[in-house]
C-alpha cells in the first residue's frame, strides 16, 4: 500500500476490545501504518484474549498499551500515558467496539486505559461495533449508540451477515477496507475542500444494441473512483456518477449508477447545480446505435451494417449551462488519446471550454484503461502542459486535486507553476 496523504503523519489511537473480529483489525493496523499513520494500539484485557499485543506491535512498529499504569512511548506531550495519548491523537478509533465498551463511553466510566483515554480525548472518535446480533439489537445498546451519535461519535457499521456464532444478522465488524474508508472520511473533514461540492464521473457507458448486446469500452472506473476518494479525503461533498464497474463506493460518496451516455448526461445535469467542480473522468461512448432492437438480433451469414448516432457531449452541455451561473467553477475533462496527445488535448480544452484537461496516451500498456497506473499530462488554459511520470491512479488524482484547489482559490495556473 502506498502512502495516503490524508493519513500521512496522523496519530491514530486504535482501541481494540474483546471480540473475535479483533483479528481483522490487525489487517487495518497494518494498512494504516503502511499508509503513513502513526498507530498507537490500546488493548483491553478481553481484546488481548483474541489477539496478542505482539501482533499489533509487529505491525505498527510501536509500543502497544494494555495497562492504565504503563509508561507511554516517545513523542507524547506528557509522561502520563492516558493524557499524552489522548491529547496527541488526531483520531480515536475503537474497533471492534463491544457493547460493554460502548456502554462505558456513554456513562463516562474510566476503569481501564481505553475508557480513560476516551474520556480525555479531544479528537474525533470513530467506533466500529461488533457483537452478537441480539446484543446489538438490545434496546440498551441501541439507546447507547443513539446517545453516542448525538454527542458526535462516528459509527462504522455494524454490518449485516454471518456471525461467528453461526447466526445471521446485524453485528459484524465492517471489513478493514471499508473501515479504512471511514477513517479517511473522518480525518478528511477539515481538509482544503471542506464545504466544497464535487461531481465526479467514472467508468464506461453502455449503449444498447438489443436486449443482450451493447457498445462499450474497457474503462474500469478506477481513475474516477480515485478522484472521488481524493476529493473526499480533502473534505469535499462528493456525488459519484458512474457507469457499470465492480468497484466499491468510496465511504461518504453519494453514488448514482447509470448505464447510457444519455443517463449520465441527465444524472450530471441534475447533480451539478451549484457545485464547485465537475471532474469528468468517465469514458463516455461517443456513438449509440440509432435504434435499439426490441428482440435479440439473429445471426445470419450476411454482413451487418449498424447505424450509429452521436451521443450528447456532457461536458459541453455543462459548460454551456454554466454561462449565466458560473457553476461549476472548475470544469475538468480527460482526454484519452492514441495520437497527437497534446494537440488533441488542447483542442478539446478549448472546444469544451474546460479549466483543465488530463491527457493520457492510451497506447502505453501501463497507462489509461483498466490498469492501476497512469501517465498523464495536465494541460491548462494558460497553455502549460505538465507531464507527470508514471504513477498510481490515486497519485494522479492527488495531482489533479492540487490544481483544482488552486483554481478554486482563484489562483491562475501560473500561480501553481
Ligand atoms: O471528446 P472526447 O470524448 O475525447 O473527450 C473526453 C472528455 O469529454 C472526457 O472528460 C469525457 O468524460 C468527456 N465526454 C463527455 N461527453 C461525451 C463524451 C466525452 O462529457 N459524450
Amino acid at each position: 500500500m502506498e502512502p495516503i496523504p490524508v493519513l500521512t503523519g496522523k496519530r491514530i489511537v486504535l482501541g481494540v476490545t474483546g471480540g473475535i473480529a479483533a483479528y481483522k483489525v490487525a489487517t487495518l493496523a497494518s494498512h494504516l501504518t503502511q499508509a503513513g499513520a502513526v498507530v498507537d494500539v490500546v488493548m483491553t484485557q478481553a481484546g488481548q484474549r483474541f489477539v496478542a499485543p505482539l501482533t499489533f506491535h509487529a505491525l505498527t512498529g510501536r509500543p502497544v498499551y494494555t495497562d492504565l499504569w504503563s509508561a507511554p512511548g516517545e513523542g507524547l506531550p506528557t509522561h502520563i500515558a492516558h493524557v499524552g495519548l489522548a491529547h496527541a491523537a488526531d483520531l480515536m478509533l475503537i474497533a471492534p467496539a463491544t457493547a460493554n465498551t460502548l456502554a462505558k463511553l456513554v456513562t463516562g466510566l474510566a476503569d481501564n486505559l481505553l475508557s480513560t483515554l476516551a474520556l480525555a480525548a479531544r479528537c474525533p472518535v470513530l467506533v466500529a461495533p461488533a457483537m452478537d446480533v441480539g446484543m446489538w439489537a438490545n434496546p440498551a445498546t441501541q439507546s447507547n449508540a443513539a446517545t453516542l451519535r448525538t454527542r458526535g461519535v462516528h459509527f462504522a457499521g455494524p454490518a449485516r451477515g454471518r456471525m461467528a456464532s453461526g447466526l445471521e444478522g446485524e453485528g459484524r465488524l465492517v471489513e478493514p477496507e471499508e473501515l479504512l474508508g471511514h477513517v479517511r472520511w473522518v480525518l478528511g473533514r477539515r481538509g482544503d475542500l471542506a464545504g466544497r461540492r464535487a461531481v465526479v464521473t467514472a467508468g464506461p457507458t453502455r449503449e444498447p444494441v438489443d436486449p443482450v448486446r451493447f457498445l462499450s469500452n474497457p474503462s474500469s472506473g478506477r481513475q474516477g473512483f480515485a478522484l472521488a476518494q481524493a476529493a473526499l479525503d480533502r473534505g469535499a461533498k462528493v456525488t459519484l456518477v458512474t457507469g457499470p464497474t465492480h468497484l466499491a463506493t468510496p465511504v461518504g460518496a453519494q453514488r448514482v449508477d447509470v448505464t447510457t451516455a444519455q443517463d449520465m448526461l441527465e444524472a450530471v445535469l441534475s447533480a451539478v447545480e451549484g457545485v464547485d467542480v465537475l471532474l469528468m473522468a468517465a469514458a463516455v461512448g461517443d456513438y449509440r446505435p440509432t435504434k435499439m432492437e426490441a428482440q435479440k438480433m439473429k445471426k445470419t451469414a450476411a454482413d451487418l451494417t449498424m447505424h450509429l448516432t452521436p451521443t450528447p457531449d456532457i461536458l459541453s452541455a455543462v459548460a454551456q449551462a454554466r454561462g449565466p451561473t458560473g457553476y461549476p467553477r472548475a470544469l475538468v475533462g480527460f482526454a484519452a488519446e492514441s495520437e497527437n496527445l497534446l494537440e488533441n488535448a488542447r483542442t478539446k480544452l478549448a472546444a469544451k471550454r474546460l479549466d483543465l484537461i488530463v491527457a493520457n496516451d492510451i497506447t502505453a500498456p501501463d497507462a489509461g484503461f483498466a490498469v492501476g497506473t497512469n501517465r498523464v499530462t495536465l494541460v491548462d488554459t494558460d497553455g502549460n502542459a505538465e507531464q507527470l511520470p508514471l504513477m498510481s491512479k490515486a497519485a494522479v488524482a492527488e495531482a489533479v486535486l492540487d490544481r483544482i484547489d488552486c483554481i478554486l482559490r482563484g489562483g491562475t495556473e501560473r500561480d501553481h507553476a
Side-chain angles (χ1 to χ4, degrees):
M1 177 172 284
E2 64 178 337
I4 298 175
V6 70
L7 292 171
T8 306
K10 293 284 165 55
R11 293 197 73 129
I12 299 176
V13 168
L14 172 56
V16 179
T17 72
I20 179 56
Y23 82 93
K24 293 188 187 175
V25 176
T27 305
L28 178 70
S30 171
H31 286 173
L32 289 170
T33 305
Q34 288 176 54
V38 178
V39 183
D40 285 314
V41 175
V42 176
M43 303 185 77
T44 63
Q45 276 199 341
Q48 294 168 62
R49 303 285 292 253
F50 291 95
V51 179
L54 182 61
T55 304
F56 286 104
H57 168 64
L59 294 171
T60 63
R62 301 188 53 78
V64 172
Y65 299 87
T66 54
D67 180 4
L68 183 55
W69 311 109
S70 57
E74 303 281 299
L76 293 174
T78 106
H79 58 288
I80 313 287
H82 65 274
V83 180
L85 282 169
H87 287 195
D90 294 297
L91 173 72
M92 182 159 181
L93 164 64
I94 306 181
T98 56
N100 183 42
T101 291
L102 293 181
K104 286 184 191 181
L105 296 184
V106 170
T107 55
L109 199 66
D111 66 342
N112 62 25
L113 178 58
L114 183 62
S115 55
T116 308
L117 255 167
L119 263 188
R122 299 165 174 176
C123 60
V125 177
L126 170 63
V127 295
M131 64 195 74
D132 159 63
V133 178
M135 289 172 83
W136 174 249
N138 190 291
T141 310
Q142 286 299 307
S143 152
N144 285 341
T147 304
L148 291 174
R149 282 197 181 96
T150 61
R151 290 183 197 160
V153 172
H154 300 275
F155 275 71
R160 226 166 226 296
R162 183 190 174 277
M163 312 294 293
S165 62
L167 294 178
E168 293 271 336
E170 206 167 85
R172 279 169 61 90
L173 185 77
V174 295
E175 292 302 321
E177 268 306 305
E178 190 184 339
L179 201 40
L180 183 67
H182 285 273
V183 169
R184 294 172 78 155
W185 192 83
V186 175
L187 284 174
R189 286 311 82 200
R190 285 188 224 129
D192 294 343
L193 295 180
R196 306 278 197 187
R197 289 171 56 206
V199 173
V200 182
T201 68
T205 58
R206 285 182 183 173
E207 309 302 329
V209 173
D210 69 16
V212 295
R213 301 187 179 94
F214 51 79
L215 298 182
S216 192
N217 60 65
S219 168
S220 63
R222 274 191 262 188
Q223 186 61 74
F225 276 57
L227 284 159
Q229 179 66 69
L232 286 161
D233 285 353
R234 294 176 188 226
K237 195 163 182 269
V238 174
T239 303
L240 176 58
V241 179
T242 179
T245 76
H246 295 293
L247 302 174
T249 312
V251 171
Q254 196 197 338
R255 176 171 178 158
V256 181
D257 285 294
V258 297
T259 307
T260 65
Q262 181 64 32
D263 293 344
M264 189 171 274
L265 171 72
E266 287 164 22
V268 168
L269 286 179
S270 74
V272 90
E273 207 178 303
V275 307
D276 299 281
V277 46
L278 170 64
L279 289 150
M280 215 35 229
V284 186
D286 290 329
Y287 294 92
R288 64 174 175 82
T290 307
K291 176 169 168 274
M292 179 189 157
E293 299 295 333
Q295 304 301 329
K296 183 181 170 199
M297 291 163 68
K298 293 275 177 286
K299 186 167 74 174
T300 68
D303 287 356
L304 176 69
T305 305
M306 192 182 290
H307 273 277
L308 301 177
T309 302
T311 54
D313 195 281
I314 301 170
L315 271 174
S316 302
V318 173
Q320 216 159 30
R322 90 164 158 172
T325 63
Y327 285 98
R329 285 177 51 209
L331 213 50
V332 182
F334 283 69
E337 303 294 342
S338 56
E339 56 182 352
N340 302 333
L341 182 73
L342 273 187
E343 197 185 316
N344 286 333
R346 287 200 168 108
T347 307
K348 279 179 195 170
L349 183 82
K352 301 191 187 210
R353 289 186 277 168
L354 308 178
D355 300 291
L356 185 71
I357 196 153
V358 184
N360 65 315
D361 177 356
I362 50 166
T363 59
D366 50 7
F369 283 137
V371 289
T373 49
N374 219 346
R375 187 185 282 112
V376 303
T377 303
L378 304 180
V379 182
D380 63 32
T381 50
D382 289 342
N384 299 319
E386 184 188 357
Q387 193 178 350
L388 301 177
L390 184 71
M391 51 175 71
S392 70
K393 287 184 173 173
V396 169
E398 291 297 336
V400 171
L401 283 178
D402 283 345
R403 291 299 196 94
I404 288 168
D405 233 13
C406 181
I407 295 170
L408 293 181
R409 279 169 203 275
T412 67
E413 290 301 326
R414 258 187 221 102
D415 290 341
H416 173 85

